[in-house]
Amino acid sequence: MPYDHVKLERTDWGLAWLTISRPQALNALNRQVLADLDAALDEIATDPYLGVLAVTGDGEKAFVAGADIGEIKELDALSGRDFARRGQALYDRLADLPVPVIAAVNGYALGGGTELALACHLRVASEKAVLGLPEVTLGVIPGYGGTQRLPRLIGPGRALELILTGRQVKAPEALALGLVNRMVPPEELRQAVEDLARTILARGPLAVRAALEAVRGGMQCSLAEGLRLEAQLFGLLCASEDMAEGTAAFLEKRKADFKGR
Ligand code: CO8
């Protein structure tokens, strides 16, 4: 289905590209972009052939330059809270997808843009990417999960430094902070994301989904509960054809041919 501000392109090998496209405003998220993203996620969530989703921004300059500042300016206490909750729910949908989601950070990823990248499971950045949570410079705080996901990813000390100052970091520093997984030249970004996707897609599909579930679930509970979840998922995988195939392939010194069963 076509959208005004989102492009959804599927490959025939399990990867789909979700591109946010409002280039005249550096892909800033206004209400229409958020609505399009929500609708695209409906489509993505029911796609049985999807194995990895890649998220990026249209054009050379920006991933997403944040929420639309013109719209933020009009918010009051109640609408501001609702707006934040709606954006958080949307990002949660992305984070809760059963397949890996990779952010291809192709340029400015500020405010809601960095928060979008944080809601993805992995982040590959172009060397010219700039990330940051500049909300305090506008008199607000991150409202799409930044105060929660950034400290969980890079630790509270480093996260607070970025959140309290609003300082923007270039890709090399983002890499050193652990804010992105990899950094590549701009012209290699798409290929790097596709290579990463292909690597993941060659693994046991049930195992990949279970690993996501274990890590995601474990981040939200105690260590003891997380270990229980891990053991349950491990046990379930032991009953899968993929596990029989993966272990047999290793012992027979051949490549595994996983079926996702
Ligand atoms: N919102 C609206 N318009 C934007 C935004 C934005 N976030 N970012 C860029 N634009 C527009 C500019 O206004 C400009 O429009 P026009 O051509 O009509 O003047 C166009 O995009 C191009 O931008 P610039 O001319 O500014 O381009 P530069 O290369 O000079 O600068 C920057 C690029 C540095 C990225 C600059 O545009 C900038 O600083 N943008 C704002 C970045 C920012 O502060 N983002 C955070 C926004 S707050 C947020 O995301 C909160 C998320 C949680 C919300 C919770 C809601 C309740």
Side-chain angles (χ1 to χ4, degrees):
M1 173 180 159
Y3 306 97
D4 288 342
H5 294 303
V6 165
K7 294 180 211 161
L8 185 57
E9 299 157 278
R10 294 181 177 85
T11 65
D12 58 6
W13 50 274
L15 173 74
W17 279 95
L18 178 68
T19 304
I20 296 165
S21 181
R22 193 187 166 214
Q24 69 278 16
L26 303 184
N27 305 322
L29 305 169
N30 65 6
R31 283 189 171 81
Q32 187 55 50
V33 180
L34 294 171
D36 284 357
L37 268 175
D38 209 28
L41 280 174
D42 286 342
E43 208 180 323
I44 288 162
T46 53
D47 180 350
Y49 301 107
L50 183 69
V52 174
L53 179 69
V55 179
T56 195
D58 202 0
E60 304 284 302
K61 196 167 168 183
F63 176 69
V64 165
D68 189 293
I69 296 173
E71 287 190 358
I72 291 179
K73 188 175 183 309
E74 303 306 317
L75 297 172
D76 60 20
L78 277 181
S79 60
R81 188 193 60 189
D82 289 350
F83 208 64
R85 291 300 281 164
R86 256 185 284 150
Q88 289 170 356
L90 176 68
Y91 283 19
D92 278 351
R93 290 190 69 194
L94 192 67
D96 289 344
L97 282 177
V99 298
V101 183
I102 306 172
V105 186
N106 54 315
Y108 285 110
L110 298 174
T114 277
E115 292 171 299
L116 178 65
L118 288 168
C120 298
H121 304 124
L122 298 169
R123 285 150 292 278
V124 181
S126 137
E127 282 167 354
K128 64 179 192 112
V130 178
L131 294 95
L133 295 174
E135 282 88 341
V136 290
T137 67
L138 300 168
V140 287
I141 62 169
Y144 288 168
T147 63
Q148 304 307 305
R149 290 199 172 96
L150 188 62
R152 282 168 170 80
L153 184 68
I154 66 171
R158 291 189 286 193
L160 269 173
E161 197 243 327
L162 295 185
I163 293 168
L164 296 178
T165 62
R167 186 166 70 83
Q168 299 173 16
V169 296
K170 294 184 176 159
E173 186 178 356
L175 182 67
L177 284 169
L179 178 45
V180 299
N181 297 84
R182 291 184 190 181
M183 180 181 71
V184 296
E187 62 281 8
E188 291 172 22
L189 181 61
R190 206 169 167 96
Q191 190 60 52
V193 170
E194 296 203 348
D195 289 348
L196 183 56
R198 279 184 201 280
T199 301
I200 295 169
L201 287 166
R203 309 305 182 221
L206 296 182
V208 165
R209 286 174 178 238
L212 260 187
E213 193 180 335
V215 172
R216 189 163 46 208
M219 295 295 289
Q220 292 170 23
C221 63
S222 69
L223 178 63
E225 287 164 334
L227 290 172
R228 219 171 6 252
L229 173 64
E230 181 184 83
Q232 274 166 0
L233 291 165
F234 190 94
L236 278 176
L237 291 169
C238 288
S240 70
E241 286 178 30
D242 281 358
M243 185 267 210
E245 167 62 11
T247 50
F250 175 81
L251 295 172
E252 292 161 17
K253 301 191 188 310
R254 60 174 174 81
K255 205 166 160 284
D257 179 19
F258 293 115
K259 300 282 190 242
R261 291 195 291 257

